[in-house]
Amino acid sequence: MGSAPPAERTAEPRQAGGQAAGHAARTIGVAIPIPHPYGRELQRVRESFGDRLAACIPTHITLLPPTRIDAADLGAIQEHLTRVARSERPFGLRLHGTGTFRPVSPVVFVAVAEGMDGCARLHDKVLSGPLAQKPQFPYHPHVTVAHHLPDEQMDRAYKELADYEAAFEVWGFSLYEHGADGVWRPQRHFLLGGGTPS
């Protein structure tokens, strides 16, 4: 699934920095949240396809896939993400149409038609310093709308959203943590260029 969104990998979370997790391990992800009304709209559509993960995952574009860290490293990670955000500026992003990673991975997604370069720059910068890791797949920004569903539901998602389109400004990205209940929740927002989200 390219760099997979938080909670949508079937594999174990990656370990940041190649270090063994301590007893106070947490699983985090970093992603660009899809703003209102598009984020909730796509979440509802995903739910309509029968994807049980939809209720646990805010609609997003992944920058850092699920990664296990030691809680003691969280401060350094937040400082790193602050520096990354300050080094970039808001940019436009347009979603259009659908794509799939099948048969390699059972995912159907809404495609990023404009703004891929900005996403890729953020991804590369986030995956450095205390979050350095080798990506499992080449990075391909996308918005998952169906994951691990029967083929007929995957086909339905691919067809029903083929004409989907949305455009918005990316103001920043968010640090998410995977809760014991399986829900991914934003913990902190990082503003590109140090601005304020509208």
Side-chain angles (χ1 to χ4, degrees):
M1 68 174 35
S3 284
E8 294 180 351
R9 287 204 173 203
T10 54
E12 287 297 309
R14 306 288 294 278
Q15 180 66 42
Q19 301 172 351
H23 65 279
R26 296 182 178 182
T27 299
I28 64 167
V30 177
I32 297 169
I34 304 302
H36 180 78
Y38 312 115
R40 184 62 188 126
E41 176 180 82
L42 288 174
Q43 192 171 30
R44 282 195 297 264
V45 171
R46 183 171 178 174
E47 290 171 347
S48 77
F49 299 140
D51 192 330
R52 290 178 294 177
L53 288 175
C56 300
I57 308 170
T59 311
H60 66 280
I61 296 169
T62 297
L63 297 175
L64 173 79
T67 299
R68 195 174 299 264
I69 65 163
D70 192 299
D73 296 331
L74 189 57
I77 288 170
Q78 291 183 342
E79 289 177 6
H80 165 66
L81 294 175
T82 298
R83 288 192 296 270
V84 170
R86 286 177 178 166
S87 73
E88 291 287 331
R89 292 290 181 270
F91 59 92
L93 190 141
R94 184 169 69 90
L95 303 175
H96 178 69
T98 50
T100 183
F101 293 128
R102 295 186 291 174
V104 175
S105 184
V107 172
V108 171
F109 57 84
V110 170
V112 176
E114 295 176 14
M116 292 186 71
D117 289 347
C119 293
R121 282 196 313 273
L122 285 175
H123 169 263
D124 290 346
K125 290 181 179 182
V126 167
L127 267 66
S128 66
L131 293 175
Q133 60 179 259
K134 185 181 174 79
Q136 189 173 354
F137 300 99
Y139 184 62
H140 186 91
H142 63 280
V143 180
T144 297
V145 290
H147 183 248
H148 267 308
L149 297 178
D151 284 342
E152 58 269 23
Q153 292 302 93
M154 302 287 275
D155 293 342
R156 178 186 158 205
Y158 188 86
K159 292 174 183 175
E160 287 192 9
L161 290 167
D163 295 324
Y164 184 84
E165 185 155 4
F168 52 88
E169 183 175 70
V170 174
W171 54 261
F173 53 84
S174 302
L175 171 66
Y176 294 81
E177 184 170 353
H178 194 218
D181 57 359
V183 177
W184 285 90
R185 295 181 176 89
Q187 303 299 307
R188 183 172 169 185
H189 304 297
F190 298 85
L191 310 178
L192 301 183
T196 302
S198 55

